């Protein structure tokens, strides 16, 4: 019925169809039809076209020839890059009084809040879509971490005051 180069692709659970002079291979199964009292063939999936050279898988399945193509990501760059260029002295001053990671977190949060004043619970998403995530990678700015981070920084008053000295007069502590 079919040429030998076609039938060699026939296996259990497959079916060959001959349409307009071309041979196609499909995955099939069967179920019992109670009304007709016989098996009913169910075509599940197209497996490819059969040629004398072999089986050609469908285009959406033929990923062997493609290289590892990464999906491009779009990140906000302009405003954060500009602020990053003009604010390096602030970052350097932060790094004198806090750990490097803390300084980068404070600086990144401040930069993001200047560019788009979102609530702190959205800082992580804003960070992920900003070029700052490339400049200062792997910062933990999730809302749960930020709560503890802000408490820690807020209780470190001496470091905050020392950081602020070069930028203006020292604030006086109110007396009660």
């Amino acid at each position: 019925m079919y040429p030998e180069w076609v039938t060699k692709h026939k296996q259990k659970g497959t079916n060959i169809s001959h349409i307009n002079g071309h041979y196609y291979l499909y995955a099939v199964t069967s179920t019992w039809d109670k009304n007709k009292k016989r098996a009913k063939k169910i075509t599940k999936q197209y497996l490819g076209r059969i040629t004398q050279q072999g089986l050609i898988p469908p285009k959406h399945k033929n990923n062997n020839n493609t290289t590892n193509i990464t999906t491009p990501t779009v990140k906000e760059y302009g405003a954060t890059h500009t602020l990053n260029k003009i604010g390096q002295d602030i970052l350097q001053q932060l790094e004198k009084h806090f750990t490097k990671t803390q300084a980068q977190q404070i600086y990144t949060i401040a930069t993001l809040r200047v560019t788009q004043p979102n609530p702190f619970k959205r800082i992580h998403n804003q960070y992920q879509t900003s070029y700052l995530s490339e400049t200062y990678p792997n910062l933990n700015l999730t809302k749960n971490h930020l709560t503890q981070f802000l408490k820690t920084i807020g209780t470190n008053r001496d470091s905050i005051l020392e950081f602020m000295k070069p930028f203006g007069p020292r604030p006086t502590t109110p007396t009660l």
Side-chain angles (χ1 to χ4, degrees):
M1 178 166 168
Y2 294 126
E4 188 219 323
W5 55 269
V6 173
T7 55
K8 74 178 183 179
H9 295 285
K10 175 81 170 108
Q11 299 173 3
K12 183 176 180 174
T14 62
N15 184 47
I16 297 171
S17 295
H18 184 234
I19 304 168
N20 295 330
H22 298 283
Y23 298 97
Y24 301 95
L25 187 64
Y26 294 91
V28 294
T29 188
S30 63
T31 59
W32 184 257
D33 188 340
K34 292 180 182 178
N35 295 332
K36 294 183 180 179
K37 297 185 179 176
R38 62 182 172 98
K40 178 180 173 184
K41 180 176 78 169
I42 299 172
T43 304
K44 293 169 67 178
Q45 180 182 2
Y46 170 63
L47 299 175
R49 186 166 60 117
I50 303 172
T51 65
Q52 288 185 343
Q53 289 75 31
L55 179 67
I56 300 172
K59 288 182 181 177
H60 67 276
K61 292 273 187 186
N62 192 9
N63 293 331
N64 297 340
N65 297 339
T66 60
T67 57
N68 290 339
I69 299 172
T70 58
T71 304
T73 57
V74 178
K75 296 194 176 197
E76 184 279 325
Y77 179 78
T80 52
H81 176 71
T82 302
L83 289 171
N84 201 22
K85 289 286 248 187
I86 63 175
Q88 283 302 301
D89 59 329
I90 297 171
L91 180 60
Q92 289 169 357
Q93 189 67 15
L94 281 167
E95 287 176 350
K96 288 180 186 175
H97 303 288
F98 300 96
T99 67
K100 185 173 183 173
T101 303
Q102 286 176 332
Q104 288 178 353
Q105 286 178 313
I106 294 166
Y107 184 78
T108 300
I109 292 166
T111 304
L112 292 172
R113 297 263 304 169
V114 166
T115 59
Q116 191 173 356
N118 283 327
F120 284 109
K121 67 181 180 181
R122 293 197 184 123
I123 289 289
H124 181 70
N125 291 339
Q126 190 178 352
Y127 168 71
Q128 300 246 313
T129 60
S130 167
Y131 193 73
L132 287 174
S133 64
E134 304 287 328
T135 308
Y136 309 111
N138 303 322
L139 295 181
N140 188 355
L141 298 177
T142 59
K143 65 180 178 179
N144 294 335
H145 177 76
L146 278 180
T147 303
Q148 186 59 41
F149 176 70
L150 292 173
K151 283 180 186 176
T152 303
I153 297 300
T155 58
N156 195 350
R157 182 162 171 79
D158 293 335
S159 294
I160 294 170
L161 292 175
E162 288 299 315
F163 162 73
M164 294 299 289
K165 270 185 185 177
F167 300 106
R170 184 180 179 132
T172 58
T173 306
T175 56
L176 297 175

